[in-house]
Amino acid sequence: MRPSDQLAAFTRDALSGGQSRGDIRAALARSGWAPNEIDEALDAWADIDFPTPVPRPRPYVSAREAFFYGLMFAALAMTAWHLVALLHNLIDHWVADPLNDDAGRYAINSTRWSIAALVVFAPTFLVMNHRAVQATNSDPGKRRSGVRKWFGYVTLFLASISLLGDLMAMIYALLSGDLTVRFMLKALVVAGVAGTVFAYFRQDTEEAQDGT
Amino acid sequence: MGRDTIIPALIAALVLVAIAAGLTITGGPISARAERRDLARLDDLRTLKTLITCQHQVNGALPDTLFVDTNCAYSPLGTDPLTNAPYGYEKLSDTSYRLCASFERPDLIRDHDLGPGTWQPDSGCFILTQP
């Protein structure tokens, strides 16, 4: 049985057993449930005079959270991807290879795309992340949001795929005769960005240790 | 609490530095506009090259100066998009010639931008050969 099911079952049993809402709230709070989870469990039952607890209609998944975390993690994925792309282009520009002079306009255009992506998505991610941190600090129960966790892992998956692809392209370039200095610098960039993303998510998963 | 503020600050700093460095390479909107004008100049030079190739086939020799040739029925000779100056043409030999324009970002021009030829960054000219 999932923790939220147990909470719902307990609340129903307690209400039908005739316990007051104040007593149930106190018992749940002593057991470690967050205030918003207790509110949610109690709000599931209408506060009316009737022999058995009467359920209220409730939305199952929060659409607002789906929007918020979907946008936030998409912004994180875009930021990580284009930060790596932009830094790789910078390395290609600064560590010039005399044998490979065909970068020209194509590299400049891809650099411009990356700049545009970062200008839009990096502030989006930072602002939303700031608001998410504030919200979870004031209400620890929000860390248990299933929506947040699912979007988090989907983003982690996409970021991993993209960074592994970068790694693959770098190794291919090294094997096809690219400069070793370039390879080392690019590998450092991928490792740095990947490390930051994974550190961010480990912090997140440590905070949300309960089941699915 | 520390990690909540340090990692975002690091990300913001890194992104700002990367964007600034990227802009020094690509140039801002003004130099991008100059790059667009260079692309228009390359287009005009390509049209001139087609005209010269046609004249060479029709007359059996390269022209001494550029002119609108009714035999080749091409549109008027283009002019520089910024200064309206005519493009430079110079016959070097029976089979080779130079086409010149005042490019604003010569560092981005490559030898093959006009097909087979040699790009001279110092003078802003392509040396082309008529086979």
Side-chain angles (χ1 to χ4, degrees):
Chain A
M1 191 185 265
R2 300 194 309 176
S4 55
D5 294 341
Q6 286 174 327
L7 177 62
F10 165 78
T11 313
R12 189 193 58 218
D13 293 346
L15 283 172
S16 52
Q19 303 293 323
S20 79
R21 286 179 175 251
D23 289 346
I24 297 174
R25 186 179 293 277
L28 284 173
R30 274 205 308 279
S31 317
W33 291 97
N36 75 316
E37 290 166 323
I38 299 174
D39 285 343
E40 199 179 334
L42 284 173
D43 286 348
W45 308 101
D47 196 1
I48 54 175
D49 195 15
F50 196 78
T52 62
V54 181
R56 280 208 183 105
R58 299 185 60 76
Y60 186 65
V61 176
S62 162
R64 188 187 166 279
E65 278 193 347
F67 165 77
F68 184 86
Y69 288 114
L71 194 58
M72 180 175 116
F73 287 122
L76 174 63
M78 289 294 279
T79 304
W81 172 24
H82 282 286
L83 188 59
V84 168
L86 177 54
L87 291 175
H88 279 192
N89 280 347
L90 290 175
I91 289 168
D92 278 343
H93 182 83
W94 283 327
V95 188
D97 185 345
L99 301 179
N100 183 14
D101 184 36
D102 57 358
R105 236 171 255 121
Y106 170 75
I108 279 198
N109 279 337
S110 101
T111 306
R112 284 185 180 138
W113 270 118
S114 293
I115 291 176
L118 286 179
V119 165
V120 172
F121 284 106
T124 305
F125 168 70
L126 290 172
V127 168
M128 297 190 87
N129 181 54
H130 180 66
R131 291 185 58 175
V133 166
Q134 274 184 334
T136 47
N137 280 348
S138 67
D139 182 357
K142 284 208 170 133
R143 286 191 185 124
R144 287 174 208 168
S145 160
V147 176
R148 174 191 167 106
K149 210 173 300 171
W150 267 99
F151 272 114
Y153 276 106
V154 167
T155 309
L156 192 59
F157 173 73
L158 293 178
S160 310
I161 293 282
S162 143
L163 292 169
L164 286 173
D166 284 336
L167 193 65
M168 193 176 85
M170 275 157 36
I171 291 173
Y172 171 78
L174 179 71
L175 293 176
S176 339
D178 204 356
L179 287 175
T180 316
V181 185
R182 271 192 189 183
F183 170 80
M184 304 274 271
L185 288 174
K186 288 183 177 180
L188 269 181
V189 166
V190 172
V193 172
T196 311
V197 172
F198 282 98
Y200 177 81
F201 276 102
R202 206 182 52 193
Q203 174 191 2
D204 237 36
T205 45
E206 273 170 5
E207 283 166 354
Q209 284 159 343
D210 63 329
T212 54
Chain B
M1 191 62 202
R3 225 162 33 162
D4 283 348
T5 50
I6 289 172
I7 288 184
L10 272 179
I11 294 175
L14 187 58
V15 165
L16 280 180
V17 169
I19 289 179
L23 281 178
T24 61
I25 289 180
T26 61
I30 292 171
S31 75
R33 196 69 200 154
E35 209 182 310
R36 279 279 170 93
R37 284 194 290 270
D38 277 358
L39 289 180
R41 290 183 182 108
L42 281 176
D43 251 0
D44 288 344
L45 291 191
R46 265 180 223 117
T47 312
L48 292 180
K49 185 189 168 195
T50 320
L51 171 69
I52 293 162
T53 307
C54 168
Q55 286 176 327
H56 183 259
Q57 277 165 359
V58 171
N59 306 327
L62 290 173
D64 292 322
T65 53
L66 282 179
F67 61 96
V68 178
D69 193 332
T70 47
N71 289 329
C72 287
Y74 283 108
S75 49
L77 308 170
T79 56
D80 189 283
L82 190 65
T83 61
N84 275 331
Y87 294 107
Y89 168 77
E90 189 186 345
K91 184 175 169 181
L92 295 176
S93 72
D94 285 348
T95 55
S96 69
Y97 58 96
R98 298 205 303 174
L99 277 179
C100 305
S102 45
F103 289 104
E104 291 168 80
R105 297 200 66 186
D107 50 311
L108 293 176
I109 311 284
R110 296 285 179 267
D111 279 336
H112 49 73
D113 276 341
L114 284 193
T118 311
W119 160 243
Q120 297 181 311
D122 300 331
S123 57
C125 295
F126 286 91
I127 295 181
L128 299 162
T129 308
Q130 198 59 50

